[in-house]
Amino acid sequence: MPNLTTTSEFLLLEFSDIRELQILHFFVFLTVYLMAVTGNLAVALDHRLHTPMYFFLLNLAILDLGSISVTVPKAMANSLMNSRSISYSACVAQVFFLFFLGGSDFAILTIMAHDRYVAICNPLQYETIMHRGACIQMAVSAWITGILFGALHTGGTFSISFCSNVVNQFFCEVPQILKLSCSDMYLVEVGIIMFGSFLGLGCFIFIIITYMQIFGTVLRVPSVQSQKKALSTCLPHLAVVFLLVFTGIFAYVRPRSNTSSELNVLFAIIYAILPPLFNPFIYSMRNKEVKTALLKLSNLGRFSKFIASKPFLKNGVE
């Protein structure tokens, strides 16, 4: 008979038992977290981005802000307090919000591909098709899909009985939680993950087909300048899609046997932290409005205006 455990809390993976390294981990995570929060808040709070074209980008920033806030603050608190525990209810909440925000994120990215298709392949009908009401309906549908996705995975994960409460990860990662199962009930969640993976694959195929049509249309445009302008709104979106998809593969497709704790942590950082950290900066590379918002929130915009207002300082800088 398996040794069933009444679980009131889980014990997460410790980065180190050396106090100095724990403090170092705290400050590293704090720096990364503040960078991600700053970048995504810049997108979410700048009123110039709240046009129909950037409405979905606003949603993406809010979701990214939420997803990194689910895991990193708890890891920071545990490192600072020399603790590794997380309550059962907090672990349930982590799993729900990770899948809710991740599912909504990918749904928004799929909708954004459709938005780019209409804008480039059918520009005369863009305002008719992608009007404010339609955008709100699509965004709400994405969020509701994420909520259902999160509830499904949370129910499948915590319906099982646990033989241990030691999670080999710095947050409540579902594959690591399923390893604690005492019965075959974990196969229910495995089935849910496979079902979700097929839905994600369908969305990914839709995005690829959509961009094949977009690129076909762009290549037929005679003006090189117009081609560059169209691609400048597409390439950042594609980069974000591939970042989310390929980092997600690290979490759920890679082989599980004989994987060290260090590699588990590395893979978790890659898929749980890098996308929300890099997404605002990826969009700012070819987007003046997003770049301006990032500079404004970091006070660089104010500094630039000050320099511009002082001719002698401006000449000195040059």
Side-chain angles (χ1 to χ4, degrees), residues 5-317:
T5 300
T6 302
T7 306
S8 60
E9 67 174 15
F10 290 95
L11 297 178
L12 302 177
L13 183 67
E14 233 178 358
F15 287 108
S16 174
D17 55 1
I18 301 173
R19 188 57 184 157
E20 289 76 12
L21 290 179
Q22 290 175 344
I23 299 299
L24 176 62
H25 288 137
F26 168 79
F27 282 109
V28 170
F29 273 108
L30 177 62
T31 302
V32 170
Y33 183 66
L34 290 178
M35 289 175 61
V37 169
T38 300
N40 286 290
L41 276 179
V43 176
L45 297 179
D46 196 283
H47 68 278
R48 289 172 298 180
L49 300 180
H50 297 181
T51 59
M53 182 178 179
Y54 296 105
F55 175 73
F56 298 115
L57 184 58
L58 165 66
N59 280 264
L60 189 67
I62 294 173
L63 291 167
D64 284 340
L65 185 61
S67 64
I68 199 169
S69 298
V70 172
T71 56
V72 174
K74 180 59 180 175
M76 290 165 49
N78 280 357
S79 294
L80 187 63
M81 303 301 294
N82 190 22
S83 173
R84 54 183 298 202
S85 65
I86 181 172
S87 67
Y88 184 89
S89 59
C91 191
V92 172
Q94 271 197 349
V95 170
F96 171 76
F97 280 106
L98 281 173
F99 279 101
F100 156 45
L101 296 168
S104 300
D105 202 314
F106 200 60
I108 289 292
L109 288 172
T110 304
I111 294 171
M112 289 175 72
H114 174 67
D115 172 76
R116 292 298 83 213
Y117 170 80
V118 177
I120 294 173
C121 299
N122 197 5
L124 297 179
Q125 298 296 320
Y126 181 76
E127 292 187 1
T128 302
I129 297 174
M130 302 299 294
H131 57 85
R132 183 172 180 82
C135 291
I136 292 175
Q137 289 177 2
M138 286 185 278
V140 170
S141 299
W143 285 72
I144 292 176
T145 299
I147 291 173
L148 295 176
F149 197 56
L152 193 63
H153 279 283
T154 305
T157 300
F158 293 96
S159 63
I160 64 178
S161 301
F162 301 109
C163 291
S164 172
N165 68 337
V166 180
V167 181
N168 191 31
Q169 190 54 271
F170 70 92
F171 63 93
C172 290
E173 185 186 46
V174 167
Q176 298 299 330
I177 295 176
L178 295 183
K179 289 183 178 180
L180 311 179
S181 175
C182 290
S183 67
D184 291 337
M185 282 296 293
Y186 77 93
L187 294 175
V188 174
E189 174 60 15
V190 172
I192 295 174
I193 291 175
M194 292 179 63
F195 174 70
S197 298
F198 282 118
L199 288 181
L201 179 62
C203 291
F204 183 67
I205 292 173
F206 171 82
I207 293 173
I208 296 300
I209 293 175
T210 299
Y211 270 102
M212 290 174 63
Q213 295 176 313
I214 289 174
F215 290 148
T217 301
V218 170
L219 291 176
R220 291 194 296 268
V221 175
S223 171
V224 175
Q225 190 65 29
S226 297
Q227 290 181 353
K228 290 181 178 179
K229 185 177 179 180
L231 290 176
S232 68
T233 65
C234 296
L235 295 181
H237 175 254
L238 267 181
V240 171
V241 170
F242 280 106
L243 179 63
L244 182 64
V245 169
F246 287 107
T247 54
I249 290 174
F250 279 107
Y252 296 101
V253 180
R254 61 186 171 86
R256 293 281 161 189
S257 58
N258 301 322
T259 304
S260 66
S261 298
E262 291 78 11
L263 278 178
N264 282 332
V265 170
L266 177 61
F267 289 141
I269 290 174
I270 287 173
Y271 84 85
I273 296 178
L274 292 190
L277 174 63
F278 287 147
N279 283 353
F281 302 99
I282 291 174
Y283 275 107
S284 71
M285 288 178 185
R286 300 297 299 274
N287 193 304
K288 293 181 180 179
E289 287 85 356
V290 178
K291 187 181 295 184
T292 301
L294 291 173
L295 292 175
K296 182 179 179 181
L297 197 62
S298 63
N299 288 325
L300 291 178
R302 185 182 303 175
F303 177 75
S304 299
K305 289 181 180 179
F306 175 76
I307 293 294
S309 66
K310 306 293 182 181
F312 64 95
L313 287 178
K314 184 177 180 182
N315 294 334
V317 171

